[in-house]
Amino acid sequence: MACIRKRGDRWQCQVRRRGFDPRSKTFAQRKDAERWGVLQERDLDELESRGETANAVPCDLELGEALDRHAALVKVKSGDHYLLIAMKRRPIAKRRLEGLNRTHFIRYRDDRLSEVGPRTVARELWLIQRTYDLARKEWGFAALENAARDVSKPRQPRGRERRLEAGEETRLLATAATIKTANLQAIIRFAIETAMRQGEILALDWRYVDLGNRTALLPKTKNGRARTVPLSRRATDILTCLPTRSGRVFATTPDALKQAWNRLVIKAECGDLRFHDLRHEAVSRLFEKGLEMPEAMMVSGHTDPRMLVRYTHLSARKLIEKLDASDVS
């Protein structure tokens, strides 16, 4: 049966039937979409009555095999790559794509929500849906039903809005100087100044740092794209004061930083502060300095302005100062 749904200010009609490629078209008015759907149903009825199909090839791929092929053939983000590997270990990965239905993936979703957060589950369901699409459109299994398509995604939590509170930066930096983890204080200052992610900071190599031109190249980032980070004068000074000029800029492992950070926030009495909150703080400060959206995106590495807005929480005090300044002028 034809499925009509609204997409923005237009109406999309989809017609699906086992043994045939799905048909889809978008219209300005709903009545046109409904009329087209009826015509497609009639055409499929006629083809079916004559015994004609899309010459569908049976799909004997297991979900785990399909996820493997997805990871091998399609460039995915590094985080998604690890998700695909983890998903292969689930019992559902041993089932054939053709034998899975919506109920299986609803159960998968609910089971996973007891183990990981809703963002992770939503991403996994999207990867499964994408794998089905690849199997249908590129691997020759045109009649395969995408069993994950209509499974509702879990409700996403609101993004954190945590910024540094009054006195926290001073306490963090003072306390960091007393903790015996290499460059801990410099790492914190650099994170606040550059808005770089923890993984990007710890992977930064001196080969890609140009102190003269005040830039740092990140050949591998979360979204899979290389980017060049412009360094402020403060960020450049932080790097200049480091004792080495070869290998990784900050000679600290992720585990060592995690343990040091956990000790630090307790000792500095910073409550629930996370290292990633320093990125929130840094991005917000970029806007408070007057940077426009494209400029802030160049520094932070965001590719979607909507994601950047989620990280941006301007200080009410800074806004009041700007408002007062405009009144004076």
Side-chain angles (χ1 to χ4, degrees), residues 167-181 183-186 188 260-270:
E168 281 190 327
E169 183 174 354
T170 301
R171 295 201 306 274
L172 275 176
L173 295 176
T175 308
T178 68
I179 295 179
K180 296 180 179 179
T181 295
N183 301 317
L184 179 59
Q185 189 185 73
I188 294 170
W261 180 263
N262 290 339
R263 294 197 304 272
L264 174 62
V265 292
I266 294 172
K267 196 172 180 181
E269 299 181 350
C270 291

Side-chain angles (χ1 to χ4, degrees), residues 47-68:
L47 290 172
E48 207 166 42
S49 67
R50 296 202 302 262
E52 297 182 22
T53 67
N55 297 320
V57 178
C59 179
D60 58 356
L61 278 177
E62 293 180 351
L63 176 59
E65 294 173 328
L67 292 172
D68 262 344

Side-chain angles (χ1 to χ4, degrees), residues 269-288:
E269 299 181 350
C270 291
D272 66 341
L273 188 69
R274 303 174 186 173
F275 189 90
H276 194 72
D277 293 332
L278 301 183
R279 179 166 161 85
H280 290 238
E281 179 69 26
V283 173
S284 297
R285 290 186 185 186
L286 293 177
F287 283 96
E288 289 170 355

Side-chain angles (χ1 to χ4, degrees), residues 137-148:
K137 297 176 182 178
E138 299 186 18
W139 302 345
F141 306 117
L144 183 67
E145 282 289 330
N146 191 334

Side-chain angles (χ1 to χ4, degrees), residues 24 54 61-62 64 70 86 97 101 110 112 126 141 147-148 152 155 164 222 260 289 317:
S24 176
L61 278 177
E62 293 180 351
H70 182 164
L97 290 178
N101 57 41
D110 295 344
R112 288 292 283 151
W126 182 88
F141 306 117
S152 60
R155 184 183 297 274
L164 290 174
K222 181 181 177 181
K289 289 177 181 177
R317 171 51 52 190

Side-chain angles (χ1 to χ4, degrees), residues 11-302:
W11 295 90
Q12 182 189 59
C13 178
Q14 286 187 330
V15 179
R16 295 176 175 276
R17 187 174 298 187
R18 184 173 292 278
F20 296 90
D21 291 337
R23 303 180 181 189
S24 176
K25 195 170 182 179
T26 304
F27 301 86
Q29 297 185 21
R30 183 185 178 97
K31 63 181 181 180
D32 294 331
E34 292 173 343
R35 187 181 302 116
W36 182 83
V38 170
L39 292 175
Q40 300 308 305
E41 290 283 1
R42 289 177 182 171
D43 182 54
L44 290 171
D45 287 340
E46 185 177 344
L47 290 172
E48 207 166 42
S49 67
R50 296 202 302 262
E52 297 182 22
T53 67
N55 297 320
V57 178
C59 179
D60 58 356
L61 278 177
E62 293 180 351
L63 176 59
E65 294 173 328
L67 292 172
D68 262 344
R69 186 184 268 188
H70 182 164
L73 298 181
V74 180
K75 186 175 182 179
V76 296
K77 298 178 182 178
S78 58
D80 288 347
H81 179 77
Y82 292 118
L83 273 184
L84 288 167
I85 293 173
M87 291 158 65
K88 278 178 51 191
R89 303 192 186 106
R90 309 292 301 180
I92 198 172
K94 297 297 182 182
R95 287 180 168 271
R96 293 172 57 210
L97 290 178
E98 210 166 51
L100 290 167
N101 57 41
R102 183 169 175 268
T103 302
H104 289 114
F105 289 115
I106 290 174
R107 190 179 302 125
Y108 174 86
R109 176 199 64 196
D110 295 344
D111 288 345
R112 288 292 283 151
L113 282 172
S114 67
E115 302 170 349
V116 295
R119 293 189 193 281
T120 299
V121 176
R123 194 66 188 170
E124 289 180 358
L125 288 172
W126 182 88
L127 288 168
I128 292 171
Q129 181 179 319
R130 173 66 174 146
T131 299
Y132 267 94
D133 285 341
L134 287 171
R136 289 182 49 257
K137 297 176 182 178
E138 299 186 18
W139 302 345
F141 306 117
L144 183 67
E145 282 289 330
N146 191 334
R149 180 179 297 278
D150 296 323
V151 176
S152 60
K153 307 297 189 297
R155 184 183 297 274
Q156 300 300 301
R158 288 187 61 186
R160 279 173 64 86
E161 299 182 2
R162 181 72 156 87
R163 288 194 61 180
L164 290 174
E165 298 173 357
E168 281 190 327
E169 183 174 354
T170 301
R171 295 201 306 274
L172 275 176
L173 295 176
T175 308
T178 68
I179 295 179
K180 296 180 179 179
T181 295
N183 301 317
L184 179 59
Q185 189 185 73
I187 290 171
I188 294 170
R189 292 173 59 213
F190 194 72
I192 296 173
E193 196 60 34
T194 64
M196 286 168 60
R197 300 177 180 91
Q198 176 183 310
E200 294 169 345
I201 293 173
L202 296 185
L204 185 61
D205 194 288
W206 277 111
R207 292 176 297 167
Y208 303 120
V209 175
D210 187 337
L211 291 176
N213 290 315
R214 291 167 51 186
T215 59
L217 172 65
L218 303 177
K220 187 176 181 180
T221 64
K222 181 181 177 181
N223 59 31
R225 301 179 184 178
R227 86 171 188 274
T228 299
V229 179
L231 301 175
S232 66
R233 194 171 303 282
R234 286 182 181 177
T236 305
D237 290 343
I238 293 167
L239 297 182
T240 302
C241 293
L242 293 175
T244 62
R245 288 289 188 280
S246 62
R248 285 189 296 115
V249 173
F250 299 101
T252 303
T253 65
D255 284 342
L257 179 57
K258 180 180 180 180
Q259 293 174 19
W261 180 263
N262 290 339
R263 294 197 304 272
L264 174 62
V265 292
I266 294 172
K267 196 172 180 181
E269 299 181 350
C270 291
D272 66 341
L273 188 69
R274 303 174 186 173
F275 189 90
H276 194 72
D277 293 332
L278 301 183
R279 179 166 161 85
H280 290 238
E281 179 69 26
V283 173
S284 297
R285 290 186 185 186
L286 293 177
F287 283 96
E288 289 170 355
K289 289 177 181 177
L291 269 67
E292 300 292 337
M293 182 69 75
E295 297 169 328
M297 290 174 68
M298 182 176 177
V299 177
S300 69
H302 287 92

